[in-house]
Structures are given as C-alpha cells and as structure tokens.
Amino acid sequence: MDDWSDEDAARLLGWVRILTGLVLFFMPRVATRMWTGESTADRTTDLGLKGMGARDVALGVGLVTALEKGAPVRGWLEGGVLADAGDALGTLVSWRDLPRGRGLLWFAAEAGAAVLGFRLAERLD
C-alpha cells in the first residue's frame, strides 16, 4: 500500500462505505446477523439499519463524487468520522450484550474507519 495516495485511500473508504450502506439498507436482517449474531425479524431494527445504510451510502457517494470532480472532500470525510465514531460508541455502550468476538471486530472496524477518515481529512483539502 506504499504506492497508494491519500486520494486512493479516501476513494476506497468511500466505496466500502457505499457497499456497507447498501447491505444495511437492502439486507438489514443479514446485517443484523453479521453484527450481533442474532436473527431478528423486528421491523424497528430493520428501520434503524436502513437509516444507517442510507447515511453511509450518502456519505460514500458524496466522498467519491467529490474526489472525481476535484471538489473539497474534507467535510465528507469529517461526516464519516462522526458517523463511525458514533457507531463505535454505540458498540461500546452495548458491549455486554454483544458476543465478544463480534463486538471486538465491529468496534475495531468502526474505530479504525474513524481514525483513517480523521487522518485523511487532515491531509486532504
């Protein structure tokens, strides 16, 4: 990855966010099983995950579009940092209710995305 530019890393982050958002929106029950290990047919949970998915698609499309147009990306990255940090905080608050492996995996992914987005936001724009 030494050959990757900050723009390449931001673009990858944007596409991962878009794909994650699409899974959350269109397959909320699959996402619930992946996230918590539980199988639920709860409409409230589906609604929440669809909202998270739409948020992630919007942030990802905004970031990728800004990169393609040469427009400022810092705001899109900072929005993603806030979303990812919020997700990580939510995982921590629910820590006791999550299977240890899944909780650790998701917290690492959420916190890692927040840190990456923060560092990219400092270097881009």
Side-chain angles (χ1 to χ4, degrees), residues 48-99:
L49 288 175
K50 286 180 179 194
M52 287 175 64
R55 171 203 72 186
D56 281 335
V57 169
L59 288 168
V61 167
L63 176 58
V64 170
T65 301
L67 285 163
E68 295 303 317
K69 291 183 174 188
V73 297
R74 184 179 184 121
W76 292 108
L77 288 164
E78 290 171 339
V81 168
L82 290 172
D84 293 331
D87 292 344
L89 180 61
T91 297
L92 284 179
V93 169
S94 302
W95 189 259
R96 283 189 255 168
D97 298 326
L98 295 172

